[in-house]
Amino acid sequence: MHGKGGRVRVLPLPLSLRDNLYLHIQWEARQPNEYLVYPRADRTRPMEESSIHRWFKRCLTLAGMTDFPMHELRHSAGHELYALTGNIVLASMLLGHENIGTTQTYLNPTTEDLAIGLRVVEAAWQEARNEVELEKDWRS
């Protein structure tokens, strides 16, 4: 994946996506020099950015969805990773940000997110108290 300034980024693929891509490539009997996203007439060259955007807009229309910027998918991916893991560093890595402050602008924490986080902390404290009590009982 190419980032700003032409930097090349390598992202790990979830196993299920890797397996599905493998099956797709096998089903289409692709050759090693062929791209997954390509112009209709030439599988050996990548599709241009403007063509990818037009393809994305057609997919939204076919799915009956309202139009939104393709870039919003980045926001959603970063927010979901952060919401599921609570780890802003991982979200920043996914989005390719050098500064976590940039990542923070993509996240939209809610009061419910805070409540969930506090419940996680409370559960951890309770578990630690239980371990201390078990240790005391064991020593007695």
Side-chain angles (χ1 to χ4, degrees):
M1 166 180 276
H2 290 276
K4 289 184 178 176
R7 288 181 306 159
V8 175
R9 294 184 49 226
V10 176
L11 297 173
L13 289 178
L15 292 177
S16 61
L17 177 57
R18 185 201 65 189
D19 293 346
N20 285 330
L21 284 173
Y22 175 79
L23 292 173
H24 174 74
I25 288 167
Q26 295 302 310
W27 181 73
E28 288 201 347
R30 289 182 181 271
Q31 302 302 310
N33 64 339
E34 293 180 344
Y35 288 89
L36 283 173
V37 182
Y38 56 89
R40 287 183 187 172
D42 187 359
R43 286 180 147 186
T44 61
R45 70 181 174 92
M47 190 180 286
E48 295 179 12
E49 280 186 37
S50 60
S51 296
I52 291 174
H53 281 276
R54 285 191 302 274
W55 168 80
F56 178 72
K57 299 299 182 185
R58 282 194 309 272
C59 288
L60 289 175
T61 301
L62 287 171
M65 296 179 67
T66 58
D67 189 25
F68 65 90
M70 190 176 189
H71 190 74
E72 287 295 317
L73 297 175
R74 283 180 50 79
H75 292 250
S76 297
H79 178 77
E80 287 302 311
L81 182 62
Y82 177 70
L84 292 170
T85 66
N87 191 327
I88 194 169
V89 174
L90 293 179
S92 186
M93 287 175 65
L94 175 67
L95 296 172
H97 296 153
E98 292 181 9
N99 183 328
I100 289 192
T102 304
T103 306
Q104 288 175 316
T105 64
Y106 282 74
L107 307 178
N108 303 304
T110 64
T111 304
E112 181 60 25
D113 293 330
L114 177 58
I116 291 168
L118 291 174
R119 286 194 294 271
V120 169
V121 169
E122 182 180 34
W125 284 342
Q126 186 60 48
E127 185 177 330
R129 281 194 293 266
N130 292 343
E131 288 178 14
V132 168
E133 291 300 317
L134 286 172
E135 182 74 20
K136 284 181 186 176
D137 291 345
W138 183 77
R139 289 178 186 228
S140 302

